[in-house]
Every structure is written in C-alpha cells, then in structure tokens.
Amino acid sequence: MDDRDRLVERFEAHRPRLRAVAQRLLGSAAEADDAVQEAWLRLQRTDPASLDNLGGWLTTVVARVCLNQLRSRRSRPEEPLGVQAADRPAEQVGPEEQALLAESVGPAMLVVLDTLAPAERVAFVLHDLFAVPFEEIAPLVGRSAVAARQLASRARRRVQGQAPSGPGADRGRQRAVVEAFLAASREGDFQALLALLDPEVVVRADTAGGTRVVRGAAAVASQALGFAWRARSARPVLVNGTPGVVAARHGQPAWVLAFAIADGRITGIRVFAGPEHLGGLELAEL
C-alpha cells in the first residue's frame, strides 16, 4: 500500500463523522457531500505528517467550509421558493452512517437550526452534538472561547424554546395552527398568515436550482400565497413526528412541509420534494 492509499484509508475512516457534521450544519445531503469533498482536496494539499490529530483537523476544515456556506446563504438575495425536486441524490452510505444521519437531520431539528445565525449554528452543533471544545470552535467563528460558549448557549435556548414537544404534545393545538396556515394560504388571506408566523420565521428548501431561503413573516406570507393551488390538495400530517402538511399527486406524496411551532406561531418551515427526500420521511395522521 503506497502513501496515497494509506491517506485514502485514513480519510475514509473519518468520512461518516465528517458527513454527519456537515449535514447537521447545512441540512443538505448534497452540500454535505461537497463540504466533505473539499476537506479531502485540502488534505491532499497538506502534509499528513504535520497533523497531530487528523480527525480534529478534518472536522475543523469541514466546519469552516460549512460556516462559509451558511454565511453565503445569508448574504445572497433571497429567491422565490419553488417546490421542485430537491438536491441531487446522495451517494449510498453504510448502516452506521445512515444511523448517524437519521439521528441528526430530522425535520424537527432542521427547521429549528435554520433559524439560527451561522456562528450560533456552528457553535451549537459542534459543541452540543459533537463535543468539540470551545477552544477549538473559537477560531472558526472568529471569537474568544468565552464568546463561542455564549453563542452556543444562545442557540441552545432557542432550540429548547422552539423544539417540538414529545409524544404528549398538544396535537390538537398544532393541528389547528397547521389547518389555519392551509386555510389562509388557500384563501389568499395575507393578514391571517402574518398572525400565524413568527416575525423571524425561516422557510428553506434545497432544490435542483440550489438552496432557496425566505426569512421574515411578510416575505414568507407572500410566498405562501403563491402556494394557494397546492394548498388546496394538502392535508395536515406528522412528518417524522413533526407537524406538517403533505400534498399528493397520482396518489403519491409530491411535496411535504414540516413546521416548527412555538407559542402558537410557526417559527420555521422545511420543504421536502423529490423522491430522494420524500422516501425517508415517515408520514402519519396529525
């Protein structure tokens, strides 16, 4: 085995964790694959002998790539949110990685993480979900270790405040919010939509044309009015335990929305479309 083969072997041993980190940070299988590939390219330009902790170095590289991507999303002008086939199919992964990803990218977590600022998201995900020390997170987000801890703490409070409740949740109340959203969308009632949406609500979908993000109640309400014809065929469901809606075409789900609801208002919406994304969702009556 030559040096390159050994390097490939060492990198592949870290790939499941790297992809899990990237997918939690970006919420997209395709973007996660791209971030991991970028880490591989950078590793090829680095002397492995100079790395005391290859796993830590790779995690840092992936996190930095993801942070740049998250910041880029924020800086790009927002585009109309169309329900298209989502991003390209992810490569086949093994059982261990599938377990990691299934644990990490459920709709409930995605819609909440999408409401966080990029630095908050990185600090929270790396520390709370992957036990990366704040001393290592600090250089990534350009803050001191104390400031990085504050970022994670602020993100944690938002996640805890917005995370859907467990099995004992008031499903009747959640269903009422979802049905009110559908009714307002069908009827073109802009004011009713505004009343249902948190002022800082975030809608996100990864489509064939790239990531589409809409932020703020007014912008999201305007986009929801464009869903009126789709909303007519939609019905409330639970999406992997998260309140949402599904619309069918020819008897099969065509697109799914998953909601984060806090204090009777919608704080986040995640759009799923395309067989590679819909196939992994468990839909049940709400």
Side-chain angles (χ1 to χ4, degrees), residues 54-55 66 72 76 102 130 136 139 159 175 192-193 217 252 261 282:
L54 179 60
C66 292
S72 175
R76 285 198 303 265
F130 290 93
E136 296 179 21
V159 169
R175 183 184 178 94
L193 285 167
Q252 296 297 321
I261 299 173
E282 180 179 339

Side-chain angles (χ1 to χ4, degrees), residues 16-29:
R17 174 183 167 87
L18 296 176
R19 194 166 185 268
V21 168
Q23 190 151 353
R24 273 177 167 162
L25 287 172
L26 297 174
S28 163

Side-chain angles (χ1 to χ4, degrees), residues 9-282:
E9 186 176 274
R10 293 177 66 192
F11 179 80
E12 290 300 323
H14 292 286
R15 181 184 289 275
R17 174 183 167 87
L18 296 176
R19 194 166 185 268
V21 168
Q23 190 151 353
R24 273 177 167 162
L25 287 172
L26 297 174
S28 163
E31 290 180 340
D33 288 337
D34 291 342
V36 173
Q37 180 63 20
E38 178 61 25
W40 165 245
L41 295 175
R42 295 188 187 188
L43 178 60
Q44 290 180 297
R45 299 193 294 266
T46 304
D47 178 9
S50 66
L51 304 177
D52 295 330
N53 180 354
L54 179 60
W57 184 87
L58 288 169
T59 299
T60 297
V61 170
V62 166
R64 184 170 287 117
V65 170
C66 292
L67 178 58
N68 290 339
Q69 178 66 17
L70 290 171
R71 286 171 172 164
S72 175
R73 288 179 188 171
R74 288 258 173 168
S75 64
R76 285 198 303 265
E78 290 166 355
E79 303 176 45
L81 181 62
V83 180
Q84 309 169 33
D87 42 33
R88 62 182 172 80
E91 64 187 41
Q92 294 297 313
V93 296
E96 292 183 3
E97 187 177 357
Q98 286 178 335
L100 275 174
L101 296 178
E103 174 189 58
S104 66
V105 295
M109 180 64 80
L110 286 175
V111 293
V112 176
L113 290 181
D114 283 343
T115 68
L116 302 178
E120 290 176 339
R121 185 164 180 164
V122 168
F124 171 74
V125 167
L126 290 183
H127 181 267
D128 285 40
L129 307 185
F130 290 93
V132 177
F134 287 117
E135 290 74 17
E136 296 179 21
I137 296 172
L140 279 172
V141 296
R143 312 285 180 90
S144 67
V146 172
R149 183 186 298 274
Q150 292 172 341
L151 285 173
S153 178
R154 186 159 63 239
R156 192 179 306 115
R157 288 195 298 271
R158 293 190 67 182
V159 169
Q160 291 170 345
Q162 295 185 32
S165 304
D170 184 351
R171 296 301 187 198
R173 184 186 229 179
Q174 292 178 341
R175 183 184 178 94
V177 172
V178 171
E179 289 182 334
F181 176 85
L182 284 176
S185 298
R186 290 166 181 154
E187 296 165 10
D189 192 334
F190 185 78
Q191 293 303 318
L193 285 167
L194 283 182
L196 290 167
L197 298 168
D198 183 86
E200 298 182 1
V201 63
V202 177
V203 179
R204 180 172 173 236
D206 299 306
T207 71
T211 298
R212 299 289 187 272
V213 177
V214 179
R215 300 179 186 277
V220 172
S222 296
Q223 292 295 319
L225 296 181
F227 287 147
W229 66 274
R230 297 185 179 96
R232 283 194 289 271
S233 65
R235 61 184 177 85
V237 292
L238 285 176
V239 186
N240 290 11
T242 301
V245 300
V246 60
R249 183 184 297 123
H250 305 305
Q252 296 297 321
W255 56 268
V256 170
L257 305 183
F259 295 82
I261 299 173
D263 299 325
R265 284 191 165 189
I266 298 168
T267 59
I269 304 174
R270 186 68 185 237
V271 180
F272 297 90
E276 66 273 21
H277 290 271
L278 293 171
L281 300 179
E282 180 179 339

